[in-house]
Amino acid sequence: RTLEEGTLLSCVSLLLLVTGASLTFPHMQSQRDKLGCDSLCYGSMTSVRGALGLVGTALIGRLSDKNGTILAKTLGRLGARKYSNIAIANGRRACLYVGTVASVAGFVIAATMNSLQGLWLSMIPGALLQHNFDVFKALLSEYHNDIDQIQSKSEEILENDAKEGDHRTNTISRSGSVGKLGMVAGISFMVGPMISAFATKTFQSATVLAIIFTLASGLTVYLLPLPVLLSDIKQIGEKNDTLTNLTNSEFTLTNMFKLRTTKARAAMTLLVLRLNMALAFHIFNTIWPASLKTRFHFGPSEHAMFMSFIGVVYAFSQGFVAKRVIQFCGSERKVYVIMSCCAILGAGRYVAYYTLSIHIMYSSFLFIINALGILNTVITADTGSIASSNELGGLFGALQASESAAGMLGPFLGG
């Protein structure tokens, strides 16, 4: 019940948050032009955003794992008490609030400081502190970990009545939860610009509407159930103390590079895979927009249609295709799924770049986006299964930090 309710509220909160952010997309280019932010300025902002994200993802990830910090004991206690009258400190909930406040602060700065300086300053809070998507992934993984632990204890007590793995959350159920988050993100990137086109006429009005959506996202965080057994407060206190005292994480970059344990090697494999995927995307993206304009004479409307197509396909891939592919192939053939997706990404980009047929280009991206959605789902589900609950945020943060590093290095290599 907690998993279902938590997944639903996480998806709703993410939907509101991403929709709010995407409300400003249709007005961003005109706002940059108005404030005199040319290509060099925009490129510099992208690099700075990547650098801030590199620091922020690791920081927020580690903070979300700790329930004994001042942040967790203050903001983390602000939540609905459905199963107990005692407010429980929670690092993930605190970090979700921090991300919400950072987004609102960025929108307020953008709306009130109509200058190039304001444009730069508005980027900083969100790039540094708003990483709610990764925190939500860690939160859902923690729900699954708790269910695994409950099932293990039940099987010990009722050994004759319960069979191993009958109800235990596995890769398929984890991928289903992660897929819902990805589907919501894809839908949000479509819905936001559409709402903005009909409801807002200026950048300032779009930011006001974005603030409303973001505050609604924060209210949803207040309703999130905690991924612990609230019926046993003593166990929660012991768990919080344990998390506070844990300082030697298995998933620090130093420990992962040493490759001493199976989990560390698995984490490093996922890190290298994610890093190379991100590098490939950013390198390809340096030549892709110009290629579309040269071959197919893409303008703003064609780009909008193309991005809507990508959003629809990615949402479908995350919400429906990924879980069924993993269920069909099973855990033992999951590596072949990863290799096949990588091959499709490479071959699909080659075909999409060199074809002179717009229909072939769209068809190749149909395969590319589906492969990307499946691959992201597998990586996220495996990340949640190899890390314990008190290390989930740190590991997700490390993977996201590698993507931020690729966002800084990739365009340079592509250029």
Side-chain angles (χ1 to χ4, degrees):
R1 179 183 174 183
T2 301
L3 173 63
E4 294 175 355
E5 184 180 358
T7 302
L8 175 62
L9 291 174
S10 296
C11 289
V12 172
S13 180
L14 185 66
L15 175 70
L16 292 168
L17 185 70
V18 178
T19 300
S22 62
L23 286 169
T24 62
F25 288 176
H27 303 281
M28 280 304 298
Q29 185 59 53
S30 60
Q31 181 71 2
R32 285 194 295 264
D33 293 340
K34 175 184 175 182
L35 299 178
C37 185
D38 55 13
S39 299
L40 179 60
C41 168
Y42 181 61
S44 300
M45 289 182 66
T46 303
S47 298
V48 172
R49 183 183 290 110
L52 292 172
L54 182 65
V55 176
T57 49
L59 173 65
I60 295 298
R62 290 295 177 194
L63 282 176
S64 72
D65 285 335
K66 299 183 181 298
N67 295 341
T69 62
I70 296 176
L71 186 67
K73 291 179 178 179
T74 52
L75 280 179
R77 292 184 185 274
L78 300 177
R81 306 174 190 178
K82 298 185 179 182
Y83 307 106
S84 172
N85 292 325
I86 300 177
I88 305 302
N90 187 266
R92 305 213 195 283
R93 187 159 59 190
C95 288
L96 291 172
Y97 282 135
V98 169
T100 303
V101 172
S103 294
V104 172
F107 291 134
V108 170
I109 294 172
T112 56
M113 295 182 63
N114 193 23
S115 64
L116 188 59
Q117 182 184 15
L119 188 65
W120 274 87
L121 291 176
S122 66
M123 171 198 69
I124 295 175
L128 185 62
L129 299 174
Q130 201 287 90
H131 303 287
N132 287 20
F133 191 21
D134 296 299
V135 178
F136 278 129
K137 288 190 287 188
L139 182 66
L140 295 189
S141 297
E142 192 171 355
Y143 288 143
H144 284 282
N145 287 353
D146 284 349
I147 293 175
D148 284 348
Q149 292 176 6
I150 296 169
Q151 184 62 30
S152 296
K153 292 180 181 179
S154 299
E155 288 168 359
E156 291 175 4
I157 298 172
L158 304 173
E159 186 175 355
N160 296 328
D161 297 330
K163 294 183 180 179
E164 182 75 22
D166 279 351
H167 304 289
R168 180 170 298 185
T169 58
N170 49 26
T171 302
I172 297 173
S173 58
R174 287 178 185 271
S175 63
S177 298
V178 172
K180 291 172 184 175
L181 282 179
M183 179 178 66
V184 164
I187 293 174
S188 301
F189 279 113
M190 294 186 303
V191 173
M194 292 173 58
I195 295 176
S196 182
F198 287 104
T200 64
K201 300 298 182 183
T202 63
F203 178 77
Q204 280 69 28
S205 60
T207 56
V208 171
L209 190 58
I211 291 173
I212 296 174
F213 272 80
T214 306
L215 291 175
S217 173
L219 179 61
T220 310
V221 171
Y222 179 87
L223 302 174
L224 274 174
L226 292 178
V228 289
L229 296 175
L230 295 185
S231 59
D232 194 338
I233 303 302
K234 291 183 179 179
Q235 288 185 3
I236 292 172
E238 293 171 359
K239 185 174 183 178
N240 285 344
D241 292 339
T242 302
L243 296 186
T244 304
N245 295 329
L246 281 175
T247 56
N248 297 322
S249 173
E250 188 173 5
F251 299 109
T252 62
L253 285 178
T254 304
N255 291 338
M256 287 164 61
F257 274 114
K258 291 179 181 177
L259 303 176
R260 289 179 178 174
T261 65
T262 304
K263 287 186 176 183
R265 291 193 288 272
M268 181 53 67
T269 301
L270 295 175
L271 180 68
V272 172
L273 182 61
R274 179 76 81 178
L275 176 63
N276 280 282
M277 285 173 56
L279 280 173
F281 168 79
H282 286 290
I283 291 172
F284 181 75
N285 203 46
T286 58
I287 59 174
W288 180 244
S291 172
L292 287 176
K293 186 175 182 180
T294 302
R295 288 178 298 156
F296 307 119
H297 308 289
F298 263 40
S301 59
E302 288 81 9
H303 273 290
M305 185 181 299
F306 181 62
M307 293 307 297
S308 297
F309 169 78
I310 289 177
V312 171
V313 175
Y314 190 77
F316 179 76
S317 171
Q318 291 267 279
F320 299 98
V321 178
K323 181 178 179 179
R324 284 157 179 79
V325 168
I326 296 171
Q327 187 173 10
F328 175 76
C329 295
S331 298
E332 65 278 0
R333 294 192 295 272
K334 193 163 48 180
V335 171
Y336 297 109
V337 174
I338 294 175
M339 295 169 66
S340 300
C341 289
C342 290
I344 292 172
L345 285 172
R349 283 172 177 150
Y350 185 89
V351 172
Y353 183 78
Y354 281 105
T355 184
L356 297 178
S357 169
I358 193 170
H359 299 292
I360 295 178
M361 186 274 290
Y362 267 95
S363 299
S364 63
F365 259 85
L366 179 67
F367 286 96
I368 289 171
I369 301 304
N370 272 292
L372 186 63
I374 294 170
L375 194 52
N376 281 333
T377 301
V378 170
I379 291 174
T380 303
D382 282 358
T383 303
S385 65
I386 67 174
S388 58
S389 295
N390 60 291
E391 295 182 310
L392 282 167
L395 183 54
F396 276 114
L399 293 180
Q400 190 59 40
S402 71
E403 290 195 15
S404 298
M408 298 169 60
L409 181 61
F412 171 76
L413 293 176

